[in-house]
Structure formats: structure tokens, C-alpha cells
Amino acid sequence: MRLIRNPVTQFLVIGLVTLGAILVGVNYLADNAASDEAINEARRINSVVAHQVTEPIIPKKLATGSLGAADRFDPLLESRLEGLQGVERITLRTADGTVVYSSENAELLGSTFPFDEDQRKVLRHGGTGAGSSDPDRPENQPRSADDDPGPRVQIYTRIRSPEGRPMLLDAYYALDELESRQSEIYGSFRWIVLAPLVLLIILATLILSALTRQLTGASKERERLLRSAMDASDAERRRIARDLHDSVVQDLAGTAFAVSAIARNPETPAETRETLDSAGTSLRTSLKSLRSLLAEIHPPDLRADGLAAALEDLIAPAGAAGMQASVSVDGVETASDKHAALVWRVAQEAVRNALRHSGASTLAVTVRGDRDLLTLEVVDDGIGFDPNSVRDPDRYGLRGLRSLVADHGGTLDVRSAPGDGTIVHMEVDAR
């Protein structure tokens, strides 16, 4: 998977991912909050049903299990509960768990079902509790399978009989009714929560995108100015190299040939011939050094077939520094001109550092290529250094070349240690 390099696109993707994460989180929290609120609303309704609807009409002796009191109570309660949505069943139990009234299953009357801990707490201290209706408990089972209304939520509230005896009113609410109410509650405030977040993310993305465009524009302008400066510097170095080549180099070459010709003349005295041979050698050495300097000032218009010769010129000063240098180039015939120029530029910096600082006795420049990969390696057996403690920018300009190599799809690695010499290794995709 390719990395997204466009900063604006990156911000948009990050913004969308962030928005998605926030939506999932807010939905989860809102769903839980809505579920809690739906249960709390059912608890409030149950409290009203218990204290305002049921408790005032409870007949005497109902708490003692009188069937006649239950028969009189049933139509009264049913009439009051008409139109009240959600409540599907009501059961009244005394403090010992005995059922004295059931709106759904009269067969439960007189049966005793123990309370759970939360129900006992409500019975002792009052208030309203809630829990899921366990279908395996006999008091929660319907009269028959055909009467099964599905999952329910059980809400219970303590009330008192006319004789003052505490009882527990169990009201059963259909789960789908509560879920429907939960959706209504959630829908009422979902966008109130989400809309500002969405707008905030969109606004932040737009601001960041605008800032990124400005920074990108400024970066491109700096890059343009830098390239202009480099082009101007390159043109000036090319002019200097051309002037030196057309004047000083030609003059030195002509002088060297003339001196050598005079030295070979039989009429020239032996002492003079010896002096002239020495002068000719000195001139040729200076000419060779000058040509290397010209290559330093401005490299030739490199092509793959001329890379070996250009690298030979590059290491020419090694002999004067007492260093044995060699160049090996193989398999670069298909390399592009830009890759040849990149190899030369990196080799130039590596050779320059080796000549100035390594104190090496040998220096080897190796270039290998195939259809896919072009490799450069510059190796010296000098004093080495610790790459992590480099402070001299002149010595380690190779670090500045890493971005240039990366722009060409390659990697540049400098491996060294004190006393172990230095290896500059570059690999670039030649495709």
C-alpha cells in the first residue's frame, strides 16, 4: 500500500478516521446513556403506578391472600392501567414473597417466590429497583407458551397495604417498548452532540489544509530559489572550468609537450636534458592535478559509458596523497544519465572526505549495476570515525546527500567506527 504524500489528503484522511472513531465512541456512550435513561423513565413510571395508581385502591385483606379481595382489585386496577403503554403485567407480593395478585396468571396466587438481594433491599428501604426478567424463574413464566410476550424488564417498587404491611409491586415492561423509547431518546440528542464535533473536525481540517497549502507553497518557493541558486552556481562553475580548460590547461599541456620535445633533442646538453625531464614531469603532474580540480569544480556531462573515466579523474589526487586508489565499474551500460550523475556526486563527496580526513593507504570505488539496482561503494582503510558523534559539516556532507539519493528512490548508508575505516554504500533503483 502506497503512503499518502499529499499533506491535504493526509489531513482529510486523519480527519475522517478521527471523525469515525468519535462517531463510534459517541454512539456507544449515547446508546448506554439512552438505555439508562429509558430504564430510569420506566422506574419513574413504575413509581407513579405503584403509589398513585395501585396503592390507593388496594382493598383490605388483599395482603392476607383473600381471593375475594383479589377479585375486587383486578377490575379496578385494569381500568386505571388502560392506555398506559409499556406495562404488560403487575404482580403484588408480600414481605415473605407470597403472590397475592397477578394480572396475567391467577394460578400464581398463594405461591411463594423468594426475593433476590436487590428486591429485599427495596422492600426494606423503599424506592424502586430494576432488573431483567429471568424467564427461568417460575413467577416470570407465562401461563402457556402461546402467551409468551418475549423479553421483559422487571421494575419493582415498595408499597403498603391498607393495614400498613409492606408489599412489593413487580411491573413487567416489554423490552422492545423500552428499546423503542431508547431510540427516541437517543435520536433527540444524537445530532446535538455529533453535529458540533463534525463541524469542529471539518473546520479544523479546512484550517490545517489552508495552513498546509501555505507551507507547501512557501516550501516550493524556497525550493525554486534554491534550484535557481544552484543553477547559477553551476553555470558559474562551468564557466570557470571552461576558462581554465581553454587557457591554463592548454598552456600547461603545450608547455609540457614543448619541454619534453626539447629534452628529447640530441643537441640538448645532458645536464639541461635532466632538468627539462624533471620540469616536464612536474608540469604533467600539475596538469593532472588541475584536471582533477576541474572535475571538482564542475563534473563532466556524465553518461553511463563515461562514468569509469570520470571516476578515474576523481581519484587522481589520491596518488599525491600517498594513497593507492582504484576504480571498478561494471554493468552500468543501461543506467540513465541522471543515475550516472548521482553516482558521481556521491562518489565525489566520499572520495573528498577520504582524501582529506581518513589517513588511509588504500581507497576503492566500486560501481555495480543490473536492470533493477545500481550500487556504489567507496571503501577506505583509514582511521574511521563514530557516525553518531559527527560535528564537522565539511567532513560529513554525505549526510546532506541522503535526501538527494532518497529523491531518486535510493538509500545511502555510511558505516564506520574508530580504527576500522569507512564504507559509503549507496543503492538506487535503476528501473
Side-chain angles (χ1 to χ4, degrees):
M1 181 178 178
R2 297 182 63 184
L3 295 176
I4 300 174
R5 297 185 180 274
N6 188 309
V8 177
T9 306
Q10 288 179 346
F11 281 127
L12 290 176
V13 171
I14 293 173
L16 290 175
V17 172
T18 304
L19 177 60
I22 291 176
L23 287 176
V24 171
V26 169
N27 276 334
Y28 175 78
L29 295 176
D31 187 65
N32 287 342
S35 177
D36 292 341
E37 181 57 29
I39 294 295
N40 289 334
E41 186 175 280
R43 290 161 66 111
R44 290 192 293 271
I45 292 174
N46 200 71
S47 180
V48 172
V49 169
H51 296 296
Q52 305 298 324
V53 176
T54 304
E55 195 172 39
I57 63 171
I58 294 177
K60 293 181 179 181
K61 298 184 179 181
L62 180 67
T64 62
S66 170
L67 296 180
D71 290 339
R72 293 193 305 273
F73 177 64
D74 186 59
L76 291 175
L77 182 60
E78 184 177 352
S79 63
R80 289 202 173 196
L81 293 179
E82 286 182 0
L84 185 63
Q85 295 182 350
V87 181
E88 293 197 342
R89 171 186 170 188
I90 287 181
T91 300
L92 292 178
R93 285 186 287 175
T94 57
D96 61 356
T98 301
V99 177
V100 295
Y101 174 77
S102 175
S103 63
E104 185 177 77
N105 190 357
E107 295 179 359
L108 296 177
L109 295 179
S111 301
T112 300
F113 304 103
F115 296 117
D116 60 27
E117 181 60 32
D118 191 58
Q119 289 172 334
R120 286 194 294 270
K121 187 183 299 183
V122 170
L123 193 63
R124 286 195 303 269
H125 304 292
T128 299
S132 60
S133 176
D134 186 355
D136 294 331
R137 293 176 65 92
E139 69 269 28
N140 296 330
Q141 293 180 357
R143 183 178 302 176
S144 65
D146 295 336
D147 296 333
D148 187 2
R152 292 172 168 178
V153 175
Q154 184 179 1
I155 310 292
Y156 35 88
T157 303
R158 188 187 71 175
I159 60 176
R160 292 189 179 276
S161 69
E163 295 85 4
R165 299 176 62 177
M167 293 190 298
L168 196 69
L169 181 144
D170 294 307
Y172 296 82
Y173 295 78
L175 183 61
D176 55 356
E177 288 283 345
L178 291 180
E179 289 177 344
S180 175
R181 180 55 185 158
Q182 172 186 334
S183 298
E184 292 177 4
I185 295 171
Y186 173 66
S188 65
F189 67 82
R190 174 178 55 188
W191 290 111
I192 296 177
V193 176
L194 296 181
L197 292 174
V198 173
L199 292 176
L200 178 62
I201 291 176
I202 292 175
L203 181 61
T205 301
L206 292 176
I207 293 175
L208 291 175
S209 298
L211 292 175
T212 301
R213 282 193 295 268
Q214 291 180 2
L215 292 174
T216 302
S219 177
K220 289 182 177 179
E221 179 62 18
R222 286 195 299 270
E223 183 178 353
R224 185 189 67 81
L225 293 174
L226 179 60
R227 288 186 180 276
S228 297
M230 291 176 63
D231 291 342
S233 175
D234 187 65
E236 182 63 16
R237 286 187 287 110
R238 189 186 305 113
R239 184 191 64 79
I240 293 172
R242 184 177 59 249
D243 290 345
L244 288 174
H245 181 271
D246 293 343
S247 58
V248 177
V249 171
Q250 299 301 326
D251 292 343
L252 282 176
T255 303
F257 284 128
V259 169
S260 296
I262 296 173
R264 288 194 300 269
N265 192 332
E267 299 179 358
T268 303
E271 293 182 0
T272 303
R273 187 183 299 118
E274 185 178 346
T275 301
L276 291 174
D277 285 337
S278 177
T281 301
S282 178
L283 285 171
R284 285 190 294 273
T285 301
S286 298
L287 183 61
K288 192 174 183 180
S289 298
L290 185 55
R291 283 174 175 167
S292 298
L293 179 60
L294 291 179
E296 285 276 343
I297 294 175
H298 187 268
D301 292 331
L302 286 174
R303 297 181 183 276
D305 54 2
L307 183 58
L311 293 175
E312 289 284 358
D313 289 341
L314 193 61
I315 66 169
M323 191 180 300
Q324 184 178 353
S326 62
V327 171
S328 176
V329 178
D330 183 52
V332 300
E333 295 79 7
T334 59
S336 65
D337 293 346
K338 69 174 183 178
H339 284 140
L342 179 65
V343 169
W344 189 92
R345 179 70 185 88
V346 175
Q348 179 193 38
E349 188 67 32
V351 170
R352 179 188 295 159
N353 285 340
L355 294 176
R356 291 179 179 176
H357 308 289
S358 72
S361 59
T362 61
L363 173 67
V365 180
T366 305
V367 182
R368 295 288 181 266
D370 54 37
R371 291 183 178 180
D372 299 327
L373 193 66
L374 187 62
T375 303
L376 164 70
E377 199 163 73
V378 180
V379 181
D380 69 65
D381 61 352
I383 60 175
F385 64 97
D386 181 2
N388 297 320
S389 61
V390 170
R391 297 298 180 193
D392 184 358
D394 179 61
R395 178 170 179 175
Y396 303 112
L398 279 170
R399 288 190 167 187
L401 291 177
R402 281 199 173 94
S403 60
L404 177 63
V405 174
D407 289 343
H408 285 76
T411 58
L412 179 63
D413 185 27
V414 180
R415 300 191 291 269
S416 185
D420 289 340
T422 302
I423 299 175
V424 177
H425 184 86
M426 183 192 76
E427 289 184 357
V428 63
D429 189 349
R431 289 173 292 184

